[in-house]
Amino acid sequence: MMDGQPRLACRSCGAELRHTFVDLGETPLANAYLSASDLKKPEPRYPLHARVCDTCFLVQVESAVPAEEIFGDYAYFSSYAESWVEHARRFAHAAIERFDLGRDSLVVEVASNDGYLLRHFLDAGVPVLGVEPAANVAEAAVAAGVPTEVRFFGEGFARELLDRQRSADLLVGNNVLAHVPDLNDFVAGLALLLKPAGVLAMEFPHLLRLIEEVQFDTIYHEHFSYFSFLAVERVFARHGLEVFDVERLSTHGGSLRVFARRSDGVPRPTTSAVDSLRADERAARLDRLEGYAGFVERVEAVKTGLLGFLKTAKTEGRAVVAYGAAAKGNTLLNTCGIDAGLIAYVADRSPHKQGRYLPGSH
């Protein structure tokens, strides 16, 4: 206990969490969209307090609710984002060529959503397997012809797959690493499922960009962790995975795509991009606490500016509407205290969100 509060441990290295990165107060779950009848009911809110570990420098929020409650029935279907599907198609074609994938290979994607990525490998004749915890989303993948297992991924399920003679030549995880409450169990499963010559490709939003551009709206309860390259290399190394290449992407406000191999597997040369990114993160002081200081004040400045704009627009008789009912938009609205009095409505292409109300702001 510390000042009457339970000690919080880093989900990567286990060290005590003693330093606040930003505290965004209490908000509803970002993907908990509401029906009209829900508006009359009490709406649960949970603390959204991000802390930074002073040992491995992983930024993280507490597990407010069980992952099953967040991901059991999910509102996000990847295939409705055309630019993201195109991003996935380009990756699939490049990976097939770079890693010489064919009919005797197996591509496994964890958190495979509605098959938005794996269908491109299937079209090229490469066998695939999706692993997706949200049954409603997995159903869409199966309907599209993508073999999908409705499971949460971790070391236990990886062992089940190995017992069934399924191991990965290419193992993909796009925007899933942040969503994992038991990080070490998840990464241990990745290492286990990979063939000795296999490649792991993981995409995730880059903490450096979050800090530089004050992207506090990307913080919400289903994003348990926020990764620098430094933090990812450390948790990977703990489980026998070695990063040999990295790409900087524009997706999701600025992401990284890292390529890793088993440390005891087939060697691969490390690219200059790895050394370059390490140097950039050291220059930004992400390897010490000073690099995380002052973020709260920068967040407050953004909130003040946005609220000022919306209130001025209302005073002048103008209407403000929003496009894209995204989870990060819900963090933005709720932490700023914005409601339907300041934004008239939101439009979104996904029928799974249409006719619903945004959590918190309504």
Side-chain angles (χ1 to χ4, degrees), residues 217-249:
D217 53 338
T218 62
I219 298 173
Y220 45 97
H221 298 101
E222 67 187 58
H223 283 175
F224 297 104
S225 304
Y226 305 83
F227 292 96
S228 62
F229 187 61
L230 167 71
V232 164
E233 282 202 296
R234 287 185 174 179
V235 70
F236 277 17
R238 191 178 304 121
H239 297 284
L241 292 169
E242 181 179 303
V243 176
F244 64 85
D245 194 12
V246 61
E247 298 173 6
R248 307 190 202 205
L249 309 171

Side-chain angles (χ1 to χ4, degrees), residues 201-221:
M202 301 290 289
E203 290 186 27
F204 50 88
H206 190 194
L207 178 65
L208 178 60
R209 294 288 297 277
L210 184 156
I211 294 173
E212 288 178 341
E213 299 177 16
V214 202
Q215 297 174 5
F216 69 95
D217 53 338
T218 62
I219 298 173
Y220 45 97
H221 298 101

Side-chain angles (χ1 to χ4, degrees), residues 3 23 48 53 60 179-180 233 239 256 265 300 337 348 358:
D3 297 326
D23 187 349
L48 191 55
C53 175
Q60 56 206 280
H179 294 72
V180 177
E233 282 202 296
H239 297 284
L256 298 179
E300 290 302 320
D348 195 283
L358 301 190

Side-chain angles (χ1 to χ4, degrees), residues 305-321 340-345:
L306 176 58
L307 275 171
F309 165 77
L310 292 173
K311 289 176 179 177
T312 298
K314 183 174 182 178
T315 300
E316 294 174 353
R318 292 186 287 165
V320 177
V321 302
L342 292 174
I343 292 182
Y345 63 85

Side-chain angles (χ1 to χ4, degrees), residues 11 68 157:
R11 65 170 43 92
E68 290 80 5
F157 185 56

Side-chain angles (χ1 to χ4, degrees), residues 126-185:
V126 180
V128 303
L129 175 66
V131 182
E132 169 56 48
N136 64 317
V137 181
E139 185 178 345
V142 172
V146 178
T148 305
E149 303 231 8
V150 183
R151 294 288 295 271
F152 280 92
F153 184 80
E155 187 174 3
F157 185 56
R159 291 191 185 280
E160 285 185 36
L161 290 175
L162 289 179
D163 288 343
R164 289 152 49 187
Q165 308 301 312
R166 311 301 298 276
S167 55
D169 296 276
L170 176 64
L171 181 54
V172 184
N174 289 342
N175 298 307
V176 60
L177 201 59
H179 294 72
V180 177
D182 191 342
L183 183 61
N184 284 295
D185 177 70

